[in-house]
Amino acid sequence: MASSVITLSRHIVEQERLYPEATGAFSDILYDIALAAKIISREVNRAGLVDIVGSAGRFNVHGEDVRKLDMFANDVIFDAMDHTGNLCVMASEEIEAPIPIPDKFPCGNYVLLHDPLDGSSNIEVNVTLGTIFSIHRKISKGERGTMEDLLQPGNRQLAAGYVVYGSSTMLVYTTGAGVHGFTLEPSIGEFLLSHKDMRIPDPGKKIYSVNEAYYKRWEPAQQQAVDQLKDEGYSLRYIGSLVADFHRTLLYGGIFMYPSDTKSPQGKLRLLYEASPMAMVIEEAGGRSSDGRKSILDVEPEELHQRTPLYLGSKSLVDRTEAALAEGA
Ligand code: AHG
Ligand code: MN
Ligand code: MN
């Protein structure tokens, strides 16, 4: 008996029914993100065939070489969302300043922050990439959105999720009512529900995920925490795309770490459009997030592109790592 086919659109409508005050604008945003994901997926899956893989010839606010696919993904998301009247302001990893809604378009009550293409260093070698998104409610008083709307803590997110462009393209999202995964069926261009109510196994598979090249730059407590996992027979899996390492951790359990180190005291990953959305997903799936001391969702943002140390995974593993770091502090 084939299981019932539920499209993302159908699922979004059903989720909307959970929120009587919902106006439909929120569902439109999720639908528009899915549309952008399909367009990005198509380009990612033919990156080697078009002159899109190379560098865009510019560096972003982080001093990182912006790949053409980064900017393509950034522009696809902007073009899908700038005119709909649902958003009041956007922010992107690739754009230094807040992205206003053009004056010719109306503003809405929601805010979108995103990492349009995560794992860019893997583009040329055909390794899994992703897109990460975070949705907040507008809180500023004026008609147009402001930095105040963007600098909200993760615990105020309305929704969060990611797209993973891997052996298949999957969209995983939560609005706080469970975590749900949809797999793109390219032949009909629809995301179909394939992973209902995702829960992270705990403790799950013995896998830890961290870039050990930086071992010597970690604080001793961090080094000891990883040494301990090795002594307990854990395997190391590190793809170098947060979305891919996260998705495996969500499905298999284990722990992902991007610690602070002597070269990057705040770590590398960005709070607002990498750590916060992933923290909402993992905590909604029964796991935990941490900046090494507390849940990522409780970190008060001060700057748009601020970085944070990041731990995500099975609750028992994040708890014990956090305790080890506190002890060593
Ligand atoms: P982005 O491509 O959006 O800049 O993100 C890359 C990030 C993240 O995807 C990954 O976890 C991390 O960079 C890998 O960093 P290292 O190469 O330092 O391990
Ligand atoms: Mn990223
Ligand atoms: Mn990126």
Side-chain angles (χ1 to χ4, degrees), residues 235-313:
S235 293
L236 170 60
R237 291 287 183 276
Y238 193 74
I239 300 167
S241 290
L242 169 63
V243 170
D245 284 317
F246 177 91
H247 188 65
R248 183 203 53 249
T249 305
L250 176 60
L251 289 171
Y252 283 173
I255 185 168
F256 171 87
M257 299 177 265
Y258 204 111
S260 61
D261 64 41
T262 49
K263 190 161 167 266
S264 319
Q266 288 310 313
K268 172 183 184 181
L269 299 176
R270 279 60 53 127
L271 172 65
L272 286 174
Y273 42 78
E274 289 177 314
S276 274
M278 294 316 219
M280 180 178 185
V281 173
I282 202 96
E283 296 199 8
E284 183 62 26
R288 263 215 64 196
S289 74
S290 176
D291 64 356
R293 292 186 308 284
K294 62 177 187 290
S295 168
I296 289 287
L297 299 179
D298 297 332
V299 176
E300 282 296 334
E302 284 156 18
E303 287 169 20
L304 194 53
H305 299 286
Q306 77 183 61
R307 299 173 191 270
T308 176
L310 182 59
Y311 299 79
L312 296 160

Side-chain angles (χ1 to χ4, degrees), residues 32-42 76 163 165 169 171 191:
D32 292 338
I33 288 172
L35 172 64
K38 291 179 203 173
I39 297 169
I40 296 167
S41 174
R42 186 193 60 200
V76 164
V163 185
Y165 310 103
T169 291
L171 186 147
F191 279 105

